[in-house]
Structures are given as C-alpha cells and as structure tokens.
Amino acid sequence: MNVKISTGWKAALDQEFSKPYFGVLVQKVRAAYASEDVWPKGKNIFRAFDACDFDDIKVVILGQDPYPTPGHAHGLCFSVEENVRPLPKSLVNIFKEITDDLGKIVPPNGHLERWAKQGVFLLNTSLTVVAHQPNSHRNIGWEKFTDAVIQTISKQKENVVFLLWGSHAINKSPFIDRSKHTILTSVHPSPLSAYRGFFGCKHFSKTNEVLTSQGLSPIDW
C-alpha cells in the first residue's frame, strides 16, 4: 500500500502499510469520504505524522478521535485550525493547565503544530470521523494501526514522554515499555472530568523536567 507520509515514518511503518488489514481500512476510509462528510480532509489524515517525523519524537500526546465538528479537525489531536472560535472546551482546559503550571499566557489560537515542530507527536487513536458523529470510525481498523504506531515508537525509540489523558488513552499503556520511556497519566481534560485531576497534574512542567534531565531541549508549550 503506497501511503504518502514523511520519510522517517515510511521506514518505521512500511511493514504495517503492507498488511492486509490496512488495505481493507483504506478501502473503508475511501468509501466513507465518497459518501459522507468525513473529517479531517483527506490531505490531513496523516498530518500528525508529517508535522512530527518519527526521528524527531520526544513527546507523545494521545487523543481519541478527531473533533466531529466540521472545520475543526485537521489531523493533530486536540488541535484546531487557526480560525476556529470558540476553542473546544478540552483545549481550553489544556491551555488553562499550561497557564497554571508554567505561567504562560493563553496563545492566540488553538493550532498546535507549533508543538509538533518541537517533537510532540499529536496522535488520535482513530484518524477519521464522520461529521457530528463522535467515535463513528472507531471500529473500522484505525485502532489496530495506531496501536502498532504506539508499539513501534516504544520499541524503536528511547526516552519518550507519553501523556495519556483519560481511560481510553491510559488503556494503551501496556503497549509502552516503561523501562525505556516515561508515562504520565491523568483524567481527560474535558469539562466532565478535568476538575478530577487534570487541573493540577503539571504534566507540562514534568515533561520538560524529564526532557532536560536527558539533555534534550524542553518544549515551549
């Protein structure tokens, strides 16, 4: 299966792209785009991979599926296009925690590619969704692929910080080798749960402490 993706990821995932399930997944995704309003736009399905190449990963943030509101999702978990207002409530809470943790002012938009360019891989476990239908593509094969992505990072990389927010993300922790990597967990930043432990988790300062202890540059959150 010929997938257009950055060079480092192409090398890391080439075997995965050739597996039969991935070919079936591609067929299902193409059929969905042909018949429904699916997000993100096709050119952005693998944008998280292109924005942060495999060789550059320092941090992984794991989301669930893309925002189902048309015009919001663009391939990076929790991120929205620059013109989106108001910001999704989970992202508002993420920025609030960054402000409380690091004293940084809230940025002018919710476009998180600035993080990706510093080595933050912003992965959703499903890479597509039907507009207005959360989790609509959860069972079409994406999670088999993204589970393999997580395992590949764990096996081939060292000293990556994984931020797992909410039970869905935390359930992926068995795929990560704790002897090689750091895992930070909390409840999800959504308004339904953020007050139960996301606020005050200080994951952003803790991540930077881990990175600097390894001689790596901290993330400018």
Side-chain angles (χ1 to χ4, degrees):
M1 183 65 58
N2 184 25
V3 176
K4 292 182 179 179
I5 201 168
S6 67
T7 306
W9 281 111
K10 183 75 172 176
L13 297 174
D14 209 32
Q15 289 186 338
E16 205 65 29
F17 293 139
S18 66
K19 292 180 178 178
Y21 87 87
F22 193 82
V24 174
L25 170 61
V26 169
Q27 291 177 347
K28 290 180 179 178
V29 171
R30 285 176 175 164
Y33 273 91
S35 62
E36 300 176 291
D37 186 13
V38 179
W39 289 85
K41 293 301 184 184
K43 65 180 181 180
N44 287 330
I45 293 176
F46 290 101
R47 187 165 178 177
F49 297 79
D50 292 328
C52 180
D53 194 27
F54 184 78
D55 299 333
D56 300 327
I57 296 173
K58 296 192 292 187
V59 180
V60 175
I61 298 179
L62 199 58
Q64 191 160 349
D65 64 342
Y67 293 122
T69 303
H72 283 203
H74 67 119
L76 310 179
C77 76
F78 293 107
S79 180
V80 291
E81 296 281 15
E82 291 183 5
N83 62 343
V84 171
R85 298 291 187 281
L87 296 180
K89 292 179 181 178
S90 291
L91 185 55
V92 170
N93 288 340
I94 289 170
F95 287 154
K96 182 180 186 303
E97 176 58 21
I98 291 172
T99 297
D100 293 345
D101 185 12
L102 298 170
K104 295 181 68 70
I105 62 171
V106 176
N109 61 67
H111 197 291
L112 302 182
E113 194 163 68
R114 58 185 179 273
W115 293 0
K117 292 182 182 299
Q118 300 176 71
V120 181
F121 181 44
L122 297 162
L123 177 67
N124 279 314
T125 56
S126 293
L127 300 190
T128 55
V129 70
V130 178
H132 308 297
Q133 298 180 39
N135 294 318
S136 48
H137 281 181
R138 183 172 184 175
N139 296 315
I140 69 170
W142 277 129
E143 292 211 23
K144 187 171 184 176
F145 171 68
T146 54
D147 286 353
V149 170
I150 297 166
Q151 290 173 297
T152 299
I153 296 170
S154 178
K155 290 176 182 177
Q156 297 188 26
K157 304 282 289 184
E158 292 185 358
N159 301 320
V160 174
V161 182
F162 288 83
L163 304 184
L164 307 182
W165 301 330
S167 59
H168 180 82
I170 293 170
N171 286 341
K172 305 298 182 180
S173 57
F175 299 133
I176 303 164
D177 186 344
R178 291 176 180 269
S179 70
K180 296 170 58 182
H181 306 288
T182 299
I183 301 176
L184 300 177
T185 64
S186 94
V187 298
H188 195 275
S190 78
L192 296 175
S193 57
Y195 66 93
R196 292 191 283 110
F198 181 77
F199 292 140
C201 70
K202 298 188 180 299
H203 278 188
F204 304 97
S205 61
K206 289 177 180 177
T207 295
N208 282 349
E209 288 169 6
V210 173
L211 294 177
T212 54
S213 74
Q214 297 163 354
L216 300 171
S217 56
I219 305 300
D220 180 7
W221 298 107

